[in-house]
């Protein structure tokens, strides 16, 4: 048995007989205080539940079988693990969202090793991004795929942070409009330019790429301006897809977010990433694998599974017993919503809880969407 220490003075304790219930009594050798060792069964069950959730075991393989396991761990399915407040600024933070159909998205912020924050919302918008970012200290560089409302949230929440737009997503944006089945010479050249983004490593190469894009735009300007009249007599752009494909990289060049990773003032402390593959191939890939391994979960349980994964990969997760004591549950949130006047107090905690866990959106259907900026 491990050495026990006095909770009052910190000195070593020794065995001192047994209590009337048959438990071993421990007495401090310094101050004389006595206590018994209590085993927290709920904490052990929570560890068992998380071992199943974050692993690849089936419920039937757990001790006691599937039915016993579900009965003993049913209370843990109500817990919403909330993100900590990260006050130590980092150099690079990756931001991305994992979508669960059309009903919800979990926005996630991470560094190279840990999940720093997560936020549940109905769709990506500036309000949701701001709620996530307000809980994390502003980094030097934020890497993202350019989700809706992110640029606005960055200006308002992390005004001193530089933005690096993921170059792979910039390439994919062009590829979406040109497709791989290139039918025009203009499309083939633009596709080649977008693909070249993935191999740029110096400022000189970046400047050359920008000049090549401008030259391409001038060379094919009249071609892209061609219009076609439909049966209703309205004129539309003949090559609308190419026009949209050109608009995307031009906007990024004008915003100055495409080659932040090459800025001399930033790279003197070490190289910077040009993509957010660290979160796409790290956190998001592991989250999707977990959801596949536990197929059949309801939307709410999938959200909680994502929250649990993020929490257990956060900088300093609390011990299981403390988690059970402080984390909100379905019942505690419902009780607040049922009391008049308490709902306003709950919604005041949105930056801390994460959109108040979008309780009203998950449990009440609204006829109109309320997620536009």
């Amino acid at each position: 048995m491990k050495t026990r220490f006095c909770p009052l003075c910190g000195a070593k304790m020794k065995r001192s007989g047994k209590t009337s219930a048959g438990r071993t009594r421990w007495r401090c050798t310094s101050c004389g205080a006595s206590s018994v060792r209590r085993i927290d069964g709920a904490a052990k069950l929570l560890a068992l539940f998380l071992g199943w959730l974050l692993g690849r075991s089936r419920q039937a393989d757990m001790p006691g079988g599937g039915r016993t396991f579900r009965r003993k761990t049913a209370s843990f399915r109500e817990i919403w693990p909330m993100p900590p407040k990260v006050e130590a600024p980092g150099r690079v933070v990756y931001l991305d969202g994992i979508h669960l159909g059309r009903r919800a998205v979990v926005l996630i912020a991470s560094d190279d090793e840990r999940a720093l924050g997560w936020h549940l919302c109905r769709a990506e918008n500036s309000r949701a991004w701001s709620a996530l970012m307000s809980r994390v200290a502003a980094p030097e560089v934020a890497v993202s795929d350019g989700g809706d409302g992110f640029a606005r949230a960055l200006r308002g929440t992390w005004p001193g942070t530089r933005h690096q737009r993921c170059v792979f997503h910039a390439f994919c944006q062009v590829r979406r409009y040109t497709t791989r089945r290139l039918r025009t010479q203009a499309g083939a050249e633009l596709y080649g330019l977008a693909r070249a983004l993935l191999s740029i490593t110096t400022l000189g190469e970046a400047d050359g790429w920008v000049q090549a894009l401008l030259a391409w735009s001038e060379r094919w300007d009249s071609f892209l301006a061609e219009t076609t009249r439909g049966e209703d007599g309205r004129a539309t752009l003949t090559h609308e897809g190419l026009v949209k494909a050109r608009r995307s990289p031009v906007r990024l060049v004008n915003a100055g977010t495409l080659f932040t990773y090459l800025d001399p003032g930033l790279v003197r402390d070490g190289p910077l990433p040009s993509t957010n593959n660290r979160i796409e191939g790290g956190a998001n890939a592991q989250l999707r694998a977990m959801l596949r391994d536990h197929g059949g979960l309801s939307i709410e349980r999938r959200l909680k599974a994502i929250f649990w994964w993020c929490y257990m990969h956060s900088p300093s997760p609390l011990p299981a017993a403390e988690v059970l004591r402080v984390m909100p549950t379905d019942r505690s949130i419902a009780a607040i919503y049922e009391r008049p006047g308490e709902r306003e107090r709950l919604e005041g905690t949105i930056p801390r809880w994460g959109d108040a866990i979008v309780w009203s959106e998950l449990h009440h259907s609204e006829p109109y969407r309320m997620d536009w900026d």
Side-chain angles (χ1 to χ4, degrees):
M1 186 175 292
K2 295 182 179 180
T3 303
R4 290 183 57 80
F5 296 92
C6 178
L8 300 179
C9 66
K12 286 186 178 181
M13 305 183 77
K14 65 177 183 179
R15 291 184 182 88
S16 180
K18 293 183 180 294
T19 66
S20 58
R23 293 181 177 178
T24 299
R25 181 186 291 111
W26 294 79
R27 189 172 299 279
C28 177
T29 57
S30 177
C31 67
S34 64
S35 65
V36 295
R37 183 177 183 180
R38 302 182 185 277
I39 298 177
D40 192 342
K44 284 193 171 184
L45 281 176
L46 177 59
L48 181 68
F49 171 75
L50 293 178
W52 163 78
L53 182 63
L54 305 181
R56 305 197 67 178
S57 300
R58 300 179 306 167
Q59 291 186 12
D61 298 331
M62 303 304 292
R67 183 174 296 179
T68 302
F69 174 77
R70 287 192 293 273
R71 175 175 55 82
K72 290 185 175 181
T73 61
S75 60
F76 305 139
R77 298 179 182 273
E78 294 191 354
I79 298 174
W80 289 90
M82 291 297 127
K85 187 169 184 178
V86 179
E87 298 181 345
R91 186 169 182 237
V92 179
V93 170
Y94 306 88
L95 300 108
D96 197 13
I98 180 167
H99 292 254
L100 299 179
R102 296 184 178 182
R103 296 189 59 185
V105 56
V106 179
L107 307 180
I108 301 174
S110 73
D111 58 14
D112 289 325
E113 299 176 355
R114 305 161 300 174
L116 303 178
W118 51 97
H119 183 84
L120 170 61
C121 55
R122 183 60 67 90
E124 295 184 37
N125 54 52
S126 62
R127 178 184 56 81
W129 283 116
S130 295
L132 169 68
M133 296 156 66
S134 64
R135 299 285 299 168
V136 181
E140 216 177 333
V141 177
V143 185
S144 79
D145 61 1
D148 293 340
F150 179 81
R152 180 180 175 184
L154 184 67
R155 291 192 301 269
T157 312
W158 292 345
T161 298
R162 297 288 302 278
H163 182 201
Q164 170 60 51
R165 172 67 183 273
C166 175
V167 296
F168 179 74
H169 282 86
F171 159 69
C172 291
Q173 188 78 359
V174 174
R175 185 182 63 184
R176 183 175 71 174
Y177 292 116
T178 61
T179 74
R180 291 190 179 93
R181 299 178 62 183
L182 305 169
R183 300 181 179 180
T184 64
Q185 181 62 28
E189 291 180 9
L190 183 58
Y191 180 86
L193 277 173
R195 192 175 182 84
L197 270 175
L198 306 178
S199 57
I200 293 177
T201 57
T202 66
L203 273 179
E205 293 176 355
D207 292 338
W209 186 89
V210 172
Q211 294 304 318
L213 178 64
L214 293 175
W216 177 89
S217 185
E218 292 178 3
R219 184 165 59 254
W220 296 101
D221 186 61
S222 58
F223 176 76
L224 297 177
E226 292 178 359
T227 59
T228 302
R229 291 195 175 275
E231 296 180 356
D232 57 356
R234 297 178 59 183
T236 58
L237 291 170
T238 305
H239 311 287
E240 186 177 3
L242 277 179
V243 173
K244 292 181 178 179
R246 174 180 63 174
R247 188 180 304 148
S248 174
V250 168
R251 186 185 297 117
L252 295 178
V253 169
N254 292 336
T257 61
L258 199 54
F259 300 113
T260 304
Y261 70 101
L262 299 174
D263 190 316
L266 297 173
V267 299
R268 61 189 176 192
D269 295 327
L272 290 169
S274 61
T275 70
N276 63 349
N277 289 347
R278 183 65 188 83
I279 190 171
E280 283 280 5
N284 285 4
Q286 294 181 55
L287 286 170
R288 293 187 181 100
M290 178 186 66
L291 296 177
R292 286 196 302 270
D293 291 338
H294 301 297
L297 295 176
S298 65
I299 179 69
E300 189 170 331
R301 289 188 176 179
R302 278 184 285 164
L303 290 170
K304 290 176 181 174
I306 293 174
F307 273 45
W308 273 120
W309 188 97
C310 291
Y311 183 75
M312 298 309 296
H313 289 82
S314 63
S316 300
L318 295 172
E322 190 70 8
V323 168
L324 293 174
R325 189 180 69 85
V326 302
M327 291 301 177
T329 64
D330 290 339
R331 294 182 183 180
S332 64
I333 298 168
I336 293 176
Y337 264 79
E338 289 171 0
R339 291 196 294 270
E342 288 294 305
R343 178 164 181 164
E344 293 182 4
R345 185 167 69 85
L346 173 65
E347 296 188 353
T349 67
I350 282 178
R352 180 167 61 87
W353 277 14
D355 240 9
I357 318 178
V358 197
W359 183 262
S360 58
E361 295 187 9
L362 282 177
H363 296 80
H364 301 85
S365 298
E366 297 288 344
Y368 303 106
R369 293 184 59 170
M370 303 296 291
D371 54 357
W372 289 290
D373 285 335

